[in-house]
Amino acid sequence: VQHYSLCRLYAEQDQPEAWEQAVQMADAVLEIAGEIGYPGGRILGLSGKAMALLRLGKIQEAYRASEEAVTLLESQDTVGGNHEEGLLEERTFFEHCRVLRASGRREESDRYLQRAYDGLMALAEAIGPEHREAVLHNLKFHRELVAAWEGRRD
């Protein structure tokens, strides 16, 4: 968890050196997840690595990592829903959407945005109307997903 958290923290910085560190942390997550046989950890590591590579402008490498994350996610019966930053499936699909958009694959990107948004809305509905706004706005990832959905026609 610590390596994953550092990967995300570094990837959010505005310094290329931090993005390189994010790639290193993602590689550590992948190694640990592989050792313990945890597919959810591999998915998080691959998706986190894709985001760091995207920040570095390494679009093809980002695409390969993101595509591997989505393929692994879709091969699982269940992956394990929630983690500290939101829903695993929705995060993975949303980040894949971003990589696809950067790769010039807008139509495919829109399909993954739809999948991510639908999953978030299902969670918001399941929790109930009294907590809907909190679900949609309390986590940065959820706010970004809602904003991307609302701005998808741009």
Side-chain angles (χ1 to χ4, degrees):
V1 172
Q2 180 182 15
H3 288 98
Y4 173 73
S5 296
L6 287 172
C7 171
R8 292 294 175 175
L9 178 67
Y10 289 139
E12 299 261 336
Q13 302 302 309
D14 287 328
Q15 303 166 351
E17 302 84 27
W19 305 333
E20 291 287 353
Q21 289 177 312
V23 172
Q24 293 171 9
M25 290 298 106
D27 286 338
V29 170
L30 291 169
E31 182 178 340
I32 293 166
E35 288 173 4
I36 63 173
Y38 178 45
R42 285 199 47 77
I43 294 163
L44 289 170
L46 287 163
S47 193
K49 183 174 185 173
M51 291 297 92
L53 289 166
L54 192 60
R55 297 284 313 257
L56 286 164
K58 298 179 178 182
I59 295 172
Q60 289 303 321
E61 289 179 60
Y63 174 78
R64 284 192 295 275
S66 185
E67 185 69 22
E68 187 177 345
V70 168
T71 299
L72 181 57
L73 174 66
E74 291 175 336
S75 75
Q76 305 299 304
D77 289 332
T78 60
V79 182
N82 295 321
H83 64 93
E84 70 274 5
E85 291 190 41
L87 300 172
L88 176 61
E89 292 86 352
E90 287 70 16
R91 174 174 285 281
T92 304
F93 292 150
F94 183 47
E95 290 179 345
H96 193 54
C97 156
R98 290 175 165 174
V99 170
L100 290 166
R101 181 72 46 111
S103 301
R105 299 171 170 200
R106 186 175 182 115
E107 188 174 309
E108 192 177 357
S109 172
D110 287 346
R111 286 195 304 269
Y112 280 94
L113 177 59
Q114 176 82 54
R115 291 176 75 179
Y117 183 78
D118 288 350
L120 181 59
M121 291 301 104
L123 172 66
E125 184 162 321
I127 289 180
E130 65 276 6
H131 300 292
R132 185 177 193 280
E133 289 305 308
V135 167
L136 298 179
H137 300 291
N138 283 356
L139 290 177
K140 180 181 178 192
F141 156 64
H142 292 176
R143 288 190 305 271
E144 290 173 348
L145 175 51
V146 169
W149 178 257
E150 291 171 351
R152 70 191 179 282
R153 302 289 180 226
D154 298 338

